[in-house]
Amino acid sequence: MAYPKELLDSIQAKAQTLRRNVVISMGVGNAGHLGGSGSSADIVAALYFHKMNHDPKNPKKPDRDRFLLSKGHAAILQYSALAEAGYFSRDELQHTKELGAILQGHPDVRKTPGIEAGTGSLGQGLSIGLGISIALKDDKIPAKVYVICGDGEMAEGQIWEAAMAAKVFKADNLVAIVDQNTLQAQGTVCDRFDSNPLPEKWEAFGWHVIQIDGHNIEEILTALDAADEVKGQPTVIIAHTIKGKGVSFAEGVVSFHNGILTEETYQKALEELKA
Amino acid sequence: MGYINQRTAYGETLVALGEENKKIFVLDADLGGSTMSKLFELKFPERHLEMGIAEANMTSVAAGLALTGKIPFINTFAVFATGRAYDQIRQSIAVANLNVKICGSSAGLSDFGDGATHQSVEDMAIMRAIPNMVVINPADANEMVEATKAIVDYEGPVYLRTNRNDYPNVTPEGKPFKIGEPSVLKEGTDVVVFATGYPVGLALAAAEELAGDVSVKVVNVSTIKPLNKEKIAELAADCKAVVTAEEHSIVGGLGGAIAEALRKSCKPIEFVGVQDTFGCSAHNYLELMDHFGITKENIVKAVLEVK
């Protein structure tokens, strides 16, 4: 399926804006998850600014599609998307993690409009998404539940409990997206705790598996649309990505899992992320 | 009805509630026959979710159901419900203050034969430490019926604790359950015994044995949290000393909670319960309660020591 160039370009531009917002929300001298935010930015942009049925003016509308960031440490990316979509003012981004802020270090459903669940204790988001998927089916609401997990997160046993259960419940309204950026906090996934091979594992657990380049907007849209057609089983999109994508000095660099920007690198990052 | 078994009372009440409230979902981890949530499965298979032997996933799935407006009841043995899924309860449910009911069956030493791995003497302490969590430990089957109804009407996370054995009722049938309300079952002026669960009956028997010698007040504390501290202090005010009795570790359970509530009065206090140790197997329930000193005789002894 071909998508209009204007659509692809607009999502690409949004992703760039999200990355820029991430850098602004980190500011100078504060630790922030630039790496995992950069790797998921294109997918998040495609979801919030094209694919998902949602309404920033009515964040709790019952038929909305749900987005859960199971890799909750990339919260600043989701906050950037929510601000850009209009859930709250962009000014809030600069107050992330401040005492009393609505934007916490990890997603908090009670504090931030547009956040669907508390996530960040890794491994739980897919299970929560499955619960939502079961409830939506009971309510006969044809909405989708999208859950982004990290490939480091695949080490959590609960992921595989959820994977098994989702097959049993034929959760075809549930789409897991594994952001396979190949790095975790202390090094490469394959060297620290090797969760590969992922496609074979998910397939064995009864999921429809799609693999894409997680920075190619057309591939992202094609995969998300293909997931709509899958019946009777859940879909997983394994997205091959680059950690810290978009900021040259952070790309593929382990220390930017939760790194700090200096005045100089902050300016350089903003320069690189110009619209 | 006249139940003498908490889990039967729980299971049948859940079915009755399910008739009128279609938001109720029941989740099991392959122990529905023990927890008696199987009764709900038989009646409402479409709202029963067998989650397999995977408690962590079950707990977070319940969070997702609650986020979408359902009222999920998680069922498994107390030791697994609270211990195995602690992180999921804390992170997925309690931080967000979600409307999930965590029903821990075979609590305390009540799974007498299965030993330390299946007995739960720390569950109330674990759950009590979590902000937003309500902890309810009904005294008998009558109270279990009413507590089960009450928690459906309460919006927020609740831990409900169930004993697996038959024993006589000590509270009236049909008395509406008020979360957070300790109830005086016997008035007295010398020593007050705060008891919870099966030991409430033991406390009443102890008070009767001591009658004429020591005037013992018996208070049923079936809500461990939120504990009405003012009320507890008031109930202790006219007595010289305090005893607590529970089928749980004295560390962090009822004993700890009452001591916290009475921190300003500094009365002598004695704790009857599991003395900071794990359970073990026995051929029957009463033999095990005797082994751990959760008996009428021990409550009498404690009263005489503190009076």
Side-chain angles (χ1 to χ4, degrees):
Chain A
M1 190 191 296
Y3 297 90
K5 185 171 183 304
E6 304 78 60
L7 173 66
L8 299 177
D9 288 347
S10 76
I11 294 172
Q12 190 79 66
K14 274 292 182 193
Q16 187 82 337
T17 304
L18 297 192
R19 290 187 169 102
R20 188 178 167 82
N21 286 347
V22 162
V23 170
I24 291 169
S25 74
M26 278 177 71
V28 175
N30 303 312
H33 291 87
L34 183 60
S37 297
S39 60
S40 295
D42 297 292
I43 297 159
V44 166
L47 284 168
Y48 273 101
F49 303 103
H50 171 68
K51 185 65 186 172
M52 288 202 303
N53 166 23
H54 68 121
D55 180 4
K57 299 286 170 278
N58 184 12
K60 295 284 178 196
K61 73 168 188 153
D63 69 338
R64 70 193 185 278
D65 292 326
R66 267 61 164 193
F67 174 85
L68 276 69
L69 188 66
S70 193
K71 43 172 270 182
H73 50 271
I76 48 176
L77 172 66
Q78 190 178 5
Y79 299 157
S80 299
L82 290 170
E84 207 57 37
Y87 283 85
F88 44 79
S89 161
R90 289 184 183 90
D91 296 342
E92 292 291 343
L93 297 175
Q94 294 175 59
H95 301 292
T96 307
K97 297 196 221 178
E98 267 180 26
L99 186 63
I102 66 163
L103 304 180
Q104 298 286 301
H106 284 78
D108 187 324
V109 66
R110 294 271 151 173
K111 292 197 161 66
T112 313
I115 294 293
E116 300 285 3
T119 50
S121 181
L122 293 176
Q124 299 186 14
L126 190 59
S127 302
I128 300 171
L130 175 58
I132 294 172
S133 117
I134 292 169
L136 288 172
K137 285 196 171 205
D138 183 66
D139 291 339
K140 307 214 172 4
I141 294 173
K144 286 274 185 193
V145 185
Y146 298 98
V147 184
I148 295 193
C149 304
D151 54 345
E153 190 180 2
M154 295 300 110
E156 291 282 3
Q158 187 178 352
I159 288 285
W160 304 103
E161 290 185 6
M164 261 191 285
K167 176 198 81 167
V168 173
F169 290 101
K170 300 183 170 56
D172 49 16
N173 54 351
L174 178 64
V175 179
I177 300 161
V178 181
D179 177 356
Q180 189 166 27
N181 62 32
T182 73
L183 299 181
Q184 55 191 70
Q186 299 296 311
T188 62
V189 171
C190 62
D191 287 336
R192 303 297 300 183
F193 189 91
D194 195 354
S195 56
N196 297 298
L198 288 179
E200 290 84 346
K201 279 185 180 142
W202 285 95
E203 198 170 353
F205 277 77
W207 288 58
H208 178 73
V209 181
I210 302 171
Q211 290 199 72
I212 59 166
D213 169 352
H215 301 305
N216 182 314
I217 305 296
E218 186 157 22
E219 287 191 29
I220 294 169
L221 297 188
T222 305
L224 292 173
D225 286 344
D228 291 343
E229 307 305 317
V230 177
K231 299 295 170 218
Q233 66 179 144
T235 295
V236 59
I237 298 169
I238 296 171
H240 298 276
T241 61
I242 295 164
K243 201 155 176 172
K245 171 79 175 173
V247 177
S248 61
F249 55 86
E251 285 190 3
V253 176
V254 169
S255 63
F256 276 99
H257 173 81
N258 190 16
I260 291 172
L261 294 170
T262 62
E263 182 61 42
E264 190 189 350
T265 52
Y266 177 79
Q267 294 300 342
K268 184 166 164 51
L270 287 184
E271 183 64 28
E272 289 184 10
L273 293 169
K274 266 192 177 155
Chain B
M1 296 207 279
Y3 297 111
I4 54 165
N5 185 289
Q6 286 193 336
R7 42 186 185 141
T8 311
Y10 167 73
E12 294 194 359
T13 305
L14 206 52
V15 171
L17 290 164
E19 296 274 9
E20 54 200 60
N21 192 332
K22 305 295 178 207
K23 290 184 189 169
I24 294 176
F25 271 68
V26 169
L27 292 79
D28 273 310
D30 198 36
L31 287 172
S34 291
T35 63
M36 293 306 279
S37 41
K38 187 174 182 58
L39 298 174
F40 192 95
E41 177 181 9
L42 294 170
K43 195 71 191 276
F44 306 110
E46 72 286 357
R47 280 186 285 136
H48 174 269
L49 308 174
E50 176 54 64
M51 300 309 299
I53 308 161
E55 295 80 6
N57 181 55
M58 171 168 73
T59 305
S60 297
V61 164
L65 289 163
L67 283 163
T68 322
K70 307 299 182 189
I71 307 174
F73 279 68
I74 303 170
N75 298 276
T76 184
F77 283 6
V79 68
F80 308 133
T82 61
R84 213 170 167 111
Y86 168 76
D87 188 52
Q88 289 72 19
I89 292 171
R90 181 185 187 279
Q91 311 282 19
S92 298
I93 294 170
V95 171
N97 204 14
L98 298 182
N99 195 20
V100 176
K101 314 308 171 189
I102 301 152
C103 300
S105 186
S106 296
L109 302 164
S110 69
D111 187 11
F112 52 83
D114 279 333
T117 58
H118 283 54
Q119 293 160 353
S120 183
V121 294
E122 320 93 77
D123 54 324
M124 292 201 289
I126 296 168
M127 291 296 103
R128 198 165 79 80
I130 302 176
N132 293 331
M133 187 63 66
V134 167
V135 180
I136 298 175
N137 185 42
D140 57 18
N142 282 342
E143 206 170 49
M144 178 59 72
V145 171
E146 300 304 322
T148 307
K149 293 179 192 165
I151 65 173
V152 174
D153 293 331
Y154 171 82
E155 170 93 21
V158 175
Y159 175 56
L160 179 69
R161 192 178 196 247
T162 314
N163 188 302
R164 75 183 276 134
N165 297 291
D166 294 350
Y167 59 84
N169 283 299
V170 293
T171 67
E173 193 176 334
K175 185 186 170 207
F177 188 88
K178 277 179 134 173
I179 293 171
E181 196 66 27
S183 56
V184 179
L185 298 184
K186 187 194 162 299
E187 289 291 356
T189 52
D190 294 327
V191 175
V192 54
V193 180
F194 293 106
T196 189
Y198 170 70
V200 172
L202 303 178
L204 285 169
E208 194 170 320
E209 185 168 312
L210 287 162
D213 198 7
V214 187
S215 171
V216 177
K217 182 190 296 189
V218 177
V219 181
N220 171 25
V221 187
S222 37
T223 307
I224 307 297
K225 190 186 176 188
L227 189 65
N228 187 336
K229 291 181 181 168
E230 293 73 27
K231 181 85 177 169
I232 294 292
E234 198 181 297
L235 289 168
D238 56 356
C239 292
K240 294 189 284 285
V242 179
V243 169
T244 67
E246 63 195 300
E247 187 184 339
H248 182 274
S249 173
I250 60 166
V251 179
L254 176 69
I258 294 293
E260 288 165 19
L262 298 178
R263 69 196 183 282
K264 288 179 182 165
S265 66
C266 283
K267 289 175 196 292
I269 181 164
E270 191 56 65
F271 306 108
V272 174
V274 177
Q275 303 291 319
D276 194 18
T277 181
F278 291 110
C280 62
S281 287
H283 281 309
N284 71 64
Y285 181 47
L286 295 184
E287 180 187 20
L288 196 57
M289 295 296 272
D290 194 48
H291 175 75
F292 284 102
I294 304 167
T295 58
K296 177 190 75 174
E297 290 72 24
N298 239 18
I299 296 174
V300 166
K301 195 166 150 239
V303 168
L304 294 174
E305 273 172 20
V306 292
K307 82 174 169 89

